Amino acid sequence: MLTHNVARIRLIVMSLAIALLLRTASFAAANINVEYVQKSVVFLYAADASGNPGEAVGTGFIVQVPLTSDPTQSYRLLVTARHMVDPKWAGCSNQSPSKLFLRVNKKNFDSTKDGVGTVDLELPRVMNGNWFLNPDNEVDAVVAILDAKEIGNYDVEGVKISDFPTAEEIKTFKAGDDVVSAGLLPGASGKKRNYPIFKFGHISSIPEESADAPKCGQEPQTHSLKVWFIAASLVPGNSGSPIYFEPTIIGGLVHRPVLLGVQSISFLPWDVAGMTPVSYIYEIIETMKQLNNADLTRNVQPKKP
């Protein structure tokens, strides 16, 4: 009898171990193209008193929107958090930066020969127009059109608009789903190259109402933001980072990595962040009349057999 019980316990333990290994393997094999994400991420620097690149202020990412007439050509859009370029909107006392610089990686960089592998592009000079906002004043996201030819000279790609989730896919996301972000970590952004730091977490909550966020990141005054909550240690400097849904092999209704939103605010020290959902970013892009002949098609979730 005792031998039978021991064998039974061993069987249960082995079953649990196998289940754990399968789950771990599914996370390890998550379908995220790290290089693809890295090449979409750029760092933002504010001008110093002399008008030169000074302090790193946060992150942005590039979005590619192909032309319907020629899919090999595309618009290049810069997406970041609104409070990065409009601090007064976020309740901060400081003025908007006089200039912002986009720090991008050079192509064909050789660390053994080249001293610097980045270049700072003054945003007004590579932007076609101004920042575009969502008409909803509680949305912490902005979009700018970049000079596609100029940006194409550097080691920068971009999130494809087809990697935006459809409205049907967005409805399937839930608390507990895995997410990954890539952005600037103050003090570890790199001297010769941009090195986006990857962070992993989960969707924590998807509220159906606006959240009270500290103005300028400081209590007790607050302002309303439309965000999802992400359980991840995202800090200032990560603002403007892209956040992806990270699918696993087993389970889940969406089986492809998709852009979930842009990092907006960090609720320290609770390891919770507020993310502006991708639907608001898409709304901005959708209403930009300057994007003539743009193909804004989002992929349709494949049907299960």
Side-chain angles (χ1 to χ4, degrees):
M1 183 70 175
L2 180 61
T3 303
H4 176 72
N5 287 338
V6 170
R8 187 177 179 183
I9 291 172
R10 285 178 177 173
L11 181 61
I12 292 172
V13 171
M14 288 178 63
S15 298
L16 290 173
I18 291 171
L20 180 60
L21 285 171
L22 285 173
R23 181 170 175 80
T24 303
S26 72
F27 281 107
N31 186 23
I32 289 289
N33 186 328
V34 171
E35 184 178 2
Y36 169 67
V37 175
Q38 282 179 325
K39 287 195 174 186
S40 73
V41 174
V42 295
F43 295 162
L44 298 176
Y45 284 74
D48 59 18
S50 302
N52 299 313
E55 182 183 2
V57 294
T59 308
F61 60 96
I62 307 297
V63 171
Q64 294 186 66
V65 180
L67 277 65
T68 54
S69 58
D70 184 359
T72 64
Q73 301 296 316
S74 62
Y75 291 99
R76 298 291 182 94
L77 310 179
L78 173 63
V79 179
T80 189
R82 179 176 174 178
H83 72 265
M84 302 279 294
V85 300
D86 189 5
K88 281 200 167 184
W89 167 82
C92 300
S93 58
N94 51 309
Q95 297 287 334
S96 299
S98 58
K99 282 191 296 186
L100 277 175
F101 293 89
L102 201 64
R103 180 180 169 184
V104 297
N105 288 330
K106 296 178 180 178
K107 290 182 178 179
N108 305 317
F109 171 71
D110 185 343
S111 61
T112 63
K113 299 178 181 179
D114 303 322
V116 179
T118 63
V119 63
D120 296 307
L121 304 175
E122 187 179 332
L123 268 181
R125 293 183 182 175
V126 293
M127 280 173 54
N128 296 325
N130 300 313
W131 295 101
F132 295 87
L133 309 175
N134 192 293
D136 189 329
N137 201 46
E138 296 182 352
V139 171
D140 190 9
V142 290
V143 179
I145 304 173
L146 298 176
D147 184 330
K149 185 176 180 180
E150 175 67 20
I151 293 297
N153 293 326
Y154 304 98
D155 193 18
V156 175
E157 294 296 333
V159 181
K160 295 180 175 62
I161 195 75
S162 60
D163 286 336
F164 281 43
T166 64
E168 291 75 21
E169 287 178 317
I170 292 174
K171 293 175 185 177
T172 68
F173 299 123
K174 60 189 183 303
D177 284 343
D178 296 315
V179 299
V180 57
S181 73
L184 180 146
L185 179 65
S189 57
K191 294 181 179 178
K192 291 187 175 183
R193 300 288 277 174
N194 285 345
Y195 293 106
I197 300 296
F198 281 79
K199 294 191 175 184
F200 302 85
H202 310 278
I203 296 175
S204 182
S205 176
I206 304 177
E208 295 183 358
E209 59 183 85
S210 301
D212 288 332
K215 279 191 174 183
C216 203
Q218 303 292 326
E219 298 279 8
Q221 291 187 325
T222 62
H223 67 138
S224 295
L225 289 181
K226 288 185 173 165
V227 295
W228 290 8
F229 293 105
I230 303 297
S233 180
L234 299 174
V235 298
N238 295 152
S239 289
S241 300
I243 298 178
Y244 281 85
F245 165 71
E246 184 181 13
T248 55
I249 293 175
I250 300 173
L253 297 174
V254 181
H255 302 285
R256 64 188 183 93
V258 292
L259 181 71
L260 270 190
V262 58
Q263 153 77 3
S264 176
I265 189 168
S266 299
F267 293 88
L268 302 174
W270 297 282
D271 286 346
V272 173
M275 177 197 75
T276 301
V278 65
S279 55
Y280 294 113
I281 301 170
Y282 189 80
E283 284 177 3
I284 298 173
I285 296 172
E286 199 175 25
T287 57
M288 291 167 62
K289 296 179 181 178
Q290 291 80 356
L291 302 182
N292 297 318
N293 196 28
D295 183 357
L296 300 180
T297 304
R298 297 173 284 181
N299 279 1
V300 177
Q301 172 67 26
K303 293 182 179 180
K304 289 188 175 182

